[in-house]
Amino acid sequence: GENVEQHPSTLSVQEGDSAVIKCTYSDSASNYFPWYKQELGKRPQLIIDIRSNVGEKKDQRIAVTLNKTAKHFSLHITETQPEDSAVYFCAPYSGGGADGLTFGKGTHLIIQP
Amino acid sequence: ETGVTQSPTHLIKTRGQQVTLRCSSQSGHNTVSWYQQALGQGPQFIFQYYREEENGRGNFPPRFSGLQFPNYSSELNVNALELDDSALYLCASSLGYSANYGYTFGSGTRLTVV
């Protein structure tokens, strides 16, 4: 099965600064790389995803970059705001059929005012 | 467009009892997956239902079972509850049976086993 690690486990940044969370995975067949955001007491929400034929994808203040050779992908958040405070999960996926996602343990992002 | 709804929101059960959790999928979504999220952890895949059949399962024992109905809603049943079953149970719906379609999660059912 897929081994997934996220770093750091906790990240504290000043409001307005950038944040980067890294996810490493073990399965070289992984071809779909989503990031989910979960605010305290709320449901996980898909915020951005990338497929293996693309190296980078951007959506306003968030971006995801993929390095398939090194088997890692990263979430980048620029101009951080208080509402970015949440736990972020990566969930690389290699199954072509009915396998579920393997989530990392999460990164707790804290935005300091 | 309606989202994914789960019921109940909270539940307290005694060890050894049985529990049924319910999920209504997002309009237009035909696949429902269930995840268990322990405190401070990422969600763990339990199983998935597509066309009313279980077509994928994670590392969970047979006392975890489910159903999907013709309207794509789903149930998760857990028999012989154990203390370690205490967790947030999340239902996710998607357009197809592959997870790379992207999930829409419900708000979850918080199960406490005492």
Side-chain angles (χ1 to χ4, degrees), chain B residues 30-42:
Chain B
N30 59 14
T31 302
V32 172
S33 303
W34 286 92
Y35 284 78
Q36 181 194 68
Q37 187 175 24
L39 208 58
Q41 301 293 316

Side-chain angles (χ1 to χ4, degrees), chain A residues 59-88:
Chain A
D59 182 4
Q60 299 183 353
R61 294 188 299 107
I62 61 171
V64 55
T65 57
L66 172 64
N67 185 328
K68 281 215 76 178
T69 304
K71 289 190 278 188
H72 65 75
F73 61 112
S74 297
L75 176 68
H76 305 255
I77 306 175
T78 58
E79 301 171 14
T80 53
Q81 300 170 3
E83 55 265 36
D84 296 328
S85 292
V87 179
Y88 292 81

Side-chain angles (χ1 to χ4, degrees), chain A residues 36, chain B residues 4 25-33 48-50 68 72 91-105:
Chain A
Y36 284 81
Chain B
V4 178
S25 62
Q26 180 169 312
S27 177
H29 286 188
N30 59 14
T31 302
V32 172
S33 303
Q48 175 177 288
Y49 277 83
Y50 173 70
Q68 187 181 33
Y72 306 127
C91 165
S93 73
S94 56
L95 279 170
Y97 65 83
S98 178
N100 62 16
Y101 281 95
Y103 287 150
T104 300
F105 279 95

Side-chain angles (χ1 to χ4, degrees), chain B residues 17-21 34-38 44-49 54 56-67 74-90 109 111 113:
Chain B
Q17 284 188 315
Q18 178 265 342
V19 68
T20 297
L21 311 181
W34 286 92
Y35 284 78
Q36 181 194 68
Q37 187 175 24
Q44 273 196 292
F45 177 63
I46 303 174
F47 47 53
Q48 175 177 288
Y49 277 83
E54 181 185 303
R57 190 175 186 95
N59 189 25
F60 281 80
R63 61 189 185 83
F64 286 78
S65 64
L67 286 172
S74 177
E75 286 183 355
L76 164 65
N77 300 289
V78 187
N79 293 322
L81 284 166
E82 301 177 359
L83 297 179
D84 284 349
D85 295 334
S86 294
L88 180 68
Y89 287 84
L90 293 162
T109 294
L111 173 66
V113 182

Side-chain angles (χ1 to χ4, degrees), chain A residues 31-32 36 38 42-46 51 89 93 95-101 103-105, chain B residues 4 35 37 40-43 45 48 55-56 88 90 97-100 102-103 105-107:
Chain A
N31 53 30
Y32 174 64
Y36 284 81
Q38 188 174 29
K42 301 220 174 149
R43 69 189 77 193
Q45 287 188 295
L46 176 65
R51 298 180 196 271
F89 294 98
Y93 179 69
D99 301 327
L101 294 175
F103 285 81
K105 291 187 176 180
Chain B
V4 178
Y35 284 78
Q37 187 175 24
Q41 301 293 316
F45 177 63
Q48 175 177 288
N55 72 338
L88 180 68
L90 293 162
Y97 65 83
S98 178
N100 62 16
Y103 287 150
F105 279 95
S107 295

